[in-house]
Amino acid sequence: MRLRRRLLTPRAAAFNVTDTAWIQLMIPMNGRARLLTGLAPSRTAAPALADLAARTGTRLERELTDLRALLDLSGTPDTRPHEGHDVPGMVGLDTLRKAEKAKGEQFERILTDGLRAHLAQTGRLCASERPSGGSEEAKALAATIAGSAGNAVRELDRLTATSRP
């Protein structure tokens, strides 16, 4: 689902507190995961994992665009209430620092563990948004993101299963 900012007008009444809380948490979650995937090209020697990280990063960027457009549509100010937080499933600042110093198998472990935690939490957050949200646009985006996260988990599982001794 692609939302275009310039075509949207605020319809705050359609968004409830669940919608805005979900959007405000998903933005930094995806942003941190995107930082981690962006390190992969220079840190991993596994082409399949580098490819997955690149595709995941591209998807996260699209989702960030859509989430920011929804935040605009909701009329909620971008106060970034979760900026700097390390919440369950969010790639932590400490994890990012370790990833920036790691290469090869050490980085690959950080990447796969970080992505797995991010994707699992994303699935849980989207599952909560869909029955409790008020905005059809937010619920539709949650369904799309949940589906993409599930696909990425399955692909990550396949990759890590084939790389284990």
Side-chain angles (χ1 to χ4, degrees), residues 104-127:
E105 288 182 19
Q106 183 184 18
F107 173 79
E108 291 160 8
R109 174 57 65 188
I110 294 168
L111 176 65
T112 57
D113 289 350
L115 280 180
R116 193 176 308 284
H118 167 78
L119 295 166
Q121 184 66 3
T122 293
R124 287 189 288 274
L125 291 171
C126 290

Side-chain angles (χ1 to χ4, degrees), residues 49-66:
L49 190 54
D51 180 62
L52 174 63
R55 287 183 286 112
T56 300
T58 298
R59 180 182 50 77
L60 290 167
E61 284 293 329
R62 283 192 310 264
E63 290 172 3
L64 280 165
T65 298
D66 290 346

Side-chain angles (χ1 to χ4, degrees), residues 130-145:
R130 289 167 45 210
S132 301
S135 163
E136 291 305 316
E137 292 96 333
K139 292 190 285 187
L141 183 56
T144 299
I145 291 173

Side-chain angles (χ1 to χ4, degrees), residues 61-77:
E61 284 293 329
R62 283 192 310 264
E63 290 172 3
L64 280 165
T65 298
D66 290 346
L67 287 160
R68 288 182 182 115
L70 277 181
L71 190 65
D72 287 349
L73 182 64
S74 76
T76 303

Side-chain angles (χ1 to χ4, degrees), residues 22-32 64 67-68 71:
W22 174 74
I23 295 164
Q24 289 177 324
L25 182 54
M26 287 300 300
I27 289 172
M29 287 218 17
N30 275 18
R32 292 266 191 90
L64 280 165
L67 287 160
R68 288 182 182 115
L71 190 65

